[in-house]
Amino acid sequence: MWRTTVKGLMAHKLRLALTALAVVLGVGFIGGTYVLTDTINKSFDELFADTTQGVDVFVRSDTAFESQNASGSGDREAMPEEVLETVQGVDGVDTATGSVGGYAQLVDKEGEAIAPQGPPTLGFGYPDDETTENEDSAVTMRAGREPATSDEVMIDAATAEDHDFSVGDSVDVLFEGPKRTFEVVGIIGFGEADNLAGATLAVFELEAAQELFNKEGTLDSIEVTAEEDVSPGELRNRIATAVPDGIEAQTGDYIADEQSDSVQEALGFFNTALLVFGFISLFVGAFIIFNTFSIVVAQRTREFGLLRAMGASGRQILGSVLVESVIVGFLASLVGLVAGFGIAAGLQAMLRVFGLDLPSTGLVFEPRTAIIGLTVGVLVTLISAIGPARRASRISPMAALREASPQQATFSRKRLLVGASVTLIGAAILGAGLFVSLDNAVSYVGLGAAVIFFGVTALSPLFAEPLARAIGAPIQALLNVPGKLARQNSRRNPKRTASTAAALMIGLALVSMVSIFAASIKATSSRILDENLKADFIITSSAGGGFGGFSPEIAAGAAEQHEIGAVAAVRYGEFRLDGASRFLSATDPDTIEEVTSLGVVEGDVGDLDGGGVFLSTDVAESEALTVGDDLTMEFPADGKTDVPVDGIFETTDIVGSDFLVSLDTYAEQYTTNLDSVVLATVASGVSTDDARAAIDTATSDFPNVTVENQAEFKETQAGLVDQLLGLITALLALALVIALLGITNTLALSVFERTRELGLLRAVGMSRRQARSMIRWESVIIAVIGAVLGLVVGGVFGWALVTSLADEGISEFAVPTGQLIAYVVAAGAAGIVAAIPPARRAARLNVLEAIATE
Amino acid sequence: MQSVKEEAVPRPVQRIASRAVDVAKVYGAGSTAVRALDGVDMEFETGKYAAIMGPSGSGKSTLLQCLAGLDQVTSGVIYLGDVDVTSLNEKHRTMLRRDKIGFIFQSFNLIPSLTAKENITLPMDLARRKPDAEWLDGLLDIVGLKDRLRHHPSELSGGEQQRVAAARALASRPEIVFADEPTGNLDSKRGGEMLAFMRRAVKEFGQTIIMVTHDPIAASYSDQVVFLEDGKIVDLMEGPTVEKVLDRMKTLES
Ligand SMILES: Nc1ncnc2c1ncn2[C@@H]1O[C@H](COP(=O)(O)OP(=O)(O)OP(=O)(O)O)[C@@H](O)[C@H]1O
Ligand SMILES: [Mg+2]
């Protein structure tokens, strides 16, 4: 049996290769993601171990938790400068260096603000001549020297290189306060890396920095080196007892781990997303494998019958097919793992484009990657082959004697019942994930979607025939015989057509779901802006999709212009509610209602000046709070604080959170005070153009913000959604490519199966062109069936998703009809591409040999 | 296009429908080379029904395929009418097959996904030509399949399938019909019907047919029998009868 299996495999190398390709791509993507994750983790571990090298103990203020501020870095209270003396006085301390940090954004030579996508823009202040004094430190001077005066700055090598700065150049820097100009006196690197995990860096002289960051007389951290005979742990303990309450000491290793963990956590989402797409690809691949094995088993019916007639048992046949699948799965997974390296390298290059410069650690290949890749690859192949293998094992010895007749799938009640039940079960799981608040909602949604895909695939042969007929009709009318034959062929074996189309259906369902979701978000956001936004101008960060922070000077400057009416800034802060991280919005209570409606249900927004909080109706309900009650909020600085509830409001969309406080309250709780949005109206009696000119003047010092009117703002928002949609579609492209490979595969096998028929057609006068066209249009029909089924399923998914998020504020359900039609057309076009190899094969067929084929 | 008007005018016929000039066909190369045709010179007259006979492996199918332009000769020239088939490229040979030649194979003559009617008009549909309705109607009358036209091949008996194939071969009024053992898979009754039909096509419409057969009865329907042995023409027999053919075969096989 073993020998027949191997011989069978070798006899059909093309089939083997095509089946394997689906596995290769899926496993490659998954393996690549793991390789990338491991590589990133290792390089950050090394990077932060390097940068903290030589520092034995860190001293800093103790916070309840570290909140993320608008410039993208962690926020921590500063400590009084006197602590430095205390630390220096501790027995065993060799050197102790105090430093401050804060928001500092560099402006490039074209006057554009330098803004990495995601990573923060950091500023630091170090005492003159101490930054790189520590010889063990991995922080290295690449050029120049350290800043010694208040108008000198040192920047990271990546920024210097990307924006063409060298020692001696002058550079503008943006702060919480006004913009300032400095001279670049030094350029630093971090071991081999040119920057710290993508962040931009500006290092100032300590006293200058204290003033720039509003931190006069304070320090953010103290770096301590131990005398030779003292261990870091011991020194940490000694310092901890010496410093006052509210200040902590940690070893250098601890800090390195902490920093590395926080970067890894930030990238964790990215890795998970990639893995999800990898598994989707493999899921689609499973359909292809199933399909290939089904077709091959059907084609080998006589061979299996003959084996049975010669005494092979059904079990042996079953085993033979399964062993074949395991071999294919294993080989393909191996190749996939190798391909994974290439994919990892590609993804790494992509990250670099986004500004994340990783230190050049070689790609890391953990055994885990191989184990998961091989297991998943082999299992998926094996499971996909079980059905076809069982069918093969049931072939009767009589089959060897009969002429193999193409199975004519007819309407089957059983199929309808099973398919419909599976679909319903999937819908129930999906619905539970979407509409019932469960712990693992996302897993339910994923599982539900997968089950629905199985159900619809089971049902799809029932639709395939009528769909093929309908889609084929215009093709037949247009193309005459090749069109007619294409249509007939696609209808001939509805099961095969359907399961081939199913792979494409999955990809298209996901793409159209995301499109519908995106269109709904756009429609919702447009409606919300129309209904609530009164501001004529919206100022947002020009970088990072409008999520960056910028100086409060901008709002202040705008308010000074007499052409401008009301101005309200909005900034965000992280706090904890019952241990869970939440975000609050802070704004000017006196002007906010002039720039947007808040839908106040109870209370007076002006009361927020007293230090209270406004809650959204949702939160008020879920926390069972009313005006006059206290909400226990945990802040980074003060820890748990009872904040009086001043009012309840309905419209959370514009201010962006369920919790609204005043800017003063914010300043008490957070160190960094950066605005994220500024809303402004035109003063009465002033023309829009004049107001615009005024606001442009007010912001002219700040290239890191964009001023937009309502229409422009709406467009930008829509653009952001489209960008995300584009990214997701690009990642789904892999699944789509695999689905198209499936079409290629099925058609190649069909062409092989119909060799004689093709020969006959050619003999009676079908030209090569016509033969190609026939295969091509069959492919188009299959692709369009997949696309249409995908649109239907995706439409339902999209509707369910949008409906389930109505509570989250997505109130509009929009269907991007044009886009969806474009998908169908694109699928058809892709079908043409998928058909190229089999069509070519069909056209090349030697007529005589074809006729002679048994 | 064959219009009804042209019907009145006699077809501009060549006296010789198909001609092989010193044709050789070698399969393979070196020590395993097989000389399937070895210097065949033959003229097939227009409006005649010719049969090719010979022992198995003598090169009958090869000759037929070369004459039809399905296969390429190793040396020599094949003419169809006055067209040199051997000099045509694949595209033109396809056009030739579609427009001027009809085929009947031993089995698997029909496209399973097409109905009988669609199979019959297939070559013309491929050429996007309208079939001559009157001619087709008459043809179907003779074939006797009028009530089965909407059926698929799987719903027809072997004999019916072969008759559909014959109708297809004649439907476009080709200059010549090639048939390779068209009755090989039929019982004697169905085979007889099929042969009678082909005979009628020659008699009544002046159709040229070249048929390969093993069967002396089939050969007896023809006007002329060509005997082949080891790739060479060894004899010609005009006005064959079953007995005469049987006699000749015996001497060939011994
Ligand atoms: N494709 C091929 N490759 C190699 N040799 C071939 C090929 N086709 C035919 N032959 C050889 O050419 C010779 C003539 O074959 P052909 O098929 O013409 O015989 P035939 O007279 O039709 O026989 P039969 O009565 O059995 O059909 C045979 O010896 C055959 O083995
Ligand atoms: Mg033969």
Side-chain angles (χ1 to χ4, degrees), chain A residues 496-541:
Chain A
R496 182 182 299 183
T497 299
S499 53
T500 306
L504 191 61
M505 165 191 82
I506 296 169
L508 252 112
L510 296 175
V511 172
S512 45
M513 173 188 80
V514 176
S515 303
I516 288 172
F517 185 53
S520 301
I521 290 180
K522 283 194 274 187
T524 304
S525 115
S526 162
R527 191 191 58 98
I528 287 169
L529 292 175
D530 284 343
E531 284 178 7
N532 300 302
L533 193 65
K534 300 178 197 162
D536 299 298
F537 298 114
I538 301 97
I539 305 177
T540 51
S541 163

Side-chain angles (χ1 to χ4, degrees), chain A residues 53-315:
Chain A
Q53 203 176 8
V55 179
D56 296 311
V57 178
F58 273 86
V59 181
R60 62 185 184 186
S61 74
D62 191 7
T63 45
F65 63 94
E66 193 160 287
S67 75
Q68 190 86 356
N69 70 33
S71 78
S73 62
D75 229 14
R76 216 170 250 277
E77 284 276 278
M79 53 195 173
E81 231 168 7
E82 293 77 58
V83 178
L84 181 60
E85 279 163 43
T86 315
V87 172
Q88 276 164 342
V90 173
D91 190 30
V93 169
D94 182 16
T95 64
T97 313
S99 66
V100 292
Y103 160 74
Q105 190 171 12
L106 298 157
V107 178
D108 71 13
K109 291 184 169 170
E110 274 74 50
E112 302 280 339
I114 298 171
Q117 309 274 330
T121 52
L122 302 175
F124 283 108
Y126 278 98
D128 181 15
D129 273 346
E130 288 198 22
T131 321
T132 54
E133 189 183 69
N134 186 336
E135 280 176 8
D136 294 331
S137 171
V139 181
T140 47
M141 285 307 287
R142 295 277 177 89
R145 59 170 174 81
E146 286 160 38
T149 68
S150 63
D151 51 12
E152 293 178 344
V153 68
M154 185 162 71
I155 62 175
D156 64 279
T159 307
E161 177 159 336
D162 291 350
H163 300 279
D164 201 21
F165 281 112
S166 43
V167 172
D169 290 349
S170 74
V171 59
D172 285 347
V173 185
L174 306 168
F175 299 98
E176 245 182 75
K179 176 172 88 173
R180 294 269 300 269
T181 305
F182 296 84
E183 185 193 340
V184 177
V185 295
I187 290 166
I188 49 169
F190 305 86
E192 286 188 4
D194 287 345
N195 66 14
L196 267 182
T200 68
L201 212 64
V203 181
F204 307 95
E205 192 276 320
L206 179 62
E207 263 175 57
Q210 284 173 326
E211 187 213 317
L212 289 167
F213 301 145
N214 293 321
K215 288 179 176 171
E216 284 102 336
T218 63
L219 293 173
D220 282 325
S221 71
I222 299 170
E223 297 174 9
V224 182
T225 58
E227 281 172 355
E228 254 170 45
D229 52 343
V230 186
S231 77
E234 170 59 24
L235 188 62
R236 188 207 82 85
N237 293 343
R238 285 189 208 169
I239 295 174
T241 46
V243 293
D245 262 5
I247 292 173
E248 65 172 13
Q250 299 291 0
T251 62
D253 289 347
Y254 178 92
I255 298 291
D257 284 350
E258 184 185 271
Q259 288 175 339
S260 186
D261 285 351
S262 87
V263 174
Q264 285 169 20
E265 199 181 317
L267 287 169
F269 170 75
F270 172 74
N271 291 326
T272 312
L274 285 182
L275 274 184
V276 166
F277 287 104
F279 278 104
I280 290 175
S281 304
L282 211 55
F283 182 68
V284 172
F287 279 75
I288 313 256
I289 298 161
F290 168 81
N291 225 4
T292 312
F293 275 96
S294 300
I295 299 174
V296 168
V297 163
Q299 288 179 356
R300 289 165 74 187
T301 302
R302 286 185 87 163
E303 182 187 329
F304 288 130
L306 195 62
L307 283 171
R308 289 300 307 276
M310 292 184 321
S313 70
R315 273 177 157 282

Side-chain angles (χ1 to χ4, degrees), chain A residues 471-493:
Chain A
I471 297 164
I475 296 173
Q476 176 170 348
L478 216 71
L479 280 167
N480 197 278
V481 182
K484 183 200 283 181
L485 288 169
R487 184 183 180 202
Q488 305 280 40
N489 287 341
S490 64
R491 291 169 56 193
R492 200 192 271 191
N493 193 335

Side-chain angles (χ1 to χ4, degrees), chain A residues 349-486:
Chain A
M350 201 176 86
L351 283 182
R352 201 161 292 138
V353 172
F354 280 104
L356 184 67
D357 184 26
L358 294 174
S360 57
T361 313
L363 291 174
V364 178
F365 190 77
E366 299 276 345
R368 187 253 343 245
T369 308
I371 293 168
I372 293 183
L374 288 177
T375 312
V376 170
V378 170
L379 273 184
V380 164
T381 319
L382 182 64
I383 292 171
S384 311
I386 286 178
R390 281 166 52 106
R391 218 170 306 136
S393 72
R394 290 205 208 99
I395 290 171
S396 84
M398 282 303 292
L401 312 171
R402 280 198 302 261
E403 182 71 38
S405 64
Q407 47 188 138
Q408 206 74 41
T410 43
F411 178 82
S412 142
R413 238 192 146 70
K414 189 175 147 210
R415 175 172 288 282
L416 180 66
L417 268 172
V418 171
S421 331
V422 172
T423 309
L424 287 177
I425 292 169
I429 301 174
L430 181 81
L434 286 175
F435 295 101
V436 185
S437 31
L438 293 165
D439 279 346
N440 258 330
V442 179
S443 324
Y444 280 93
V445 171
L447 179 68
V451 174
I452 290 178
F453 283 133
F454 282 125
V456 175
T457 306
L459 286 174
S460 59
L462 304 177
F463 312 131
E465 209 277 336
L467 271 176
R469 197 187 329 196
I471 297 164
I475 296 173
Q476 176 170 348
L478 216 71
L479 280 167
N480 197 278
V481 182
K484 183 200 283 181
L485 288 169

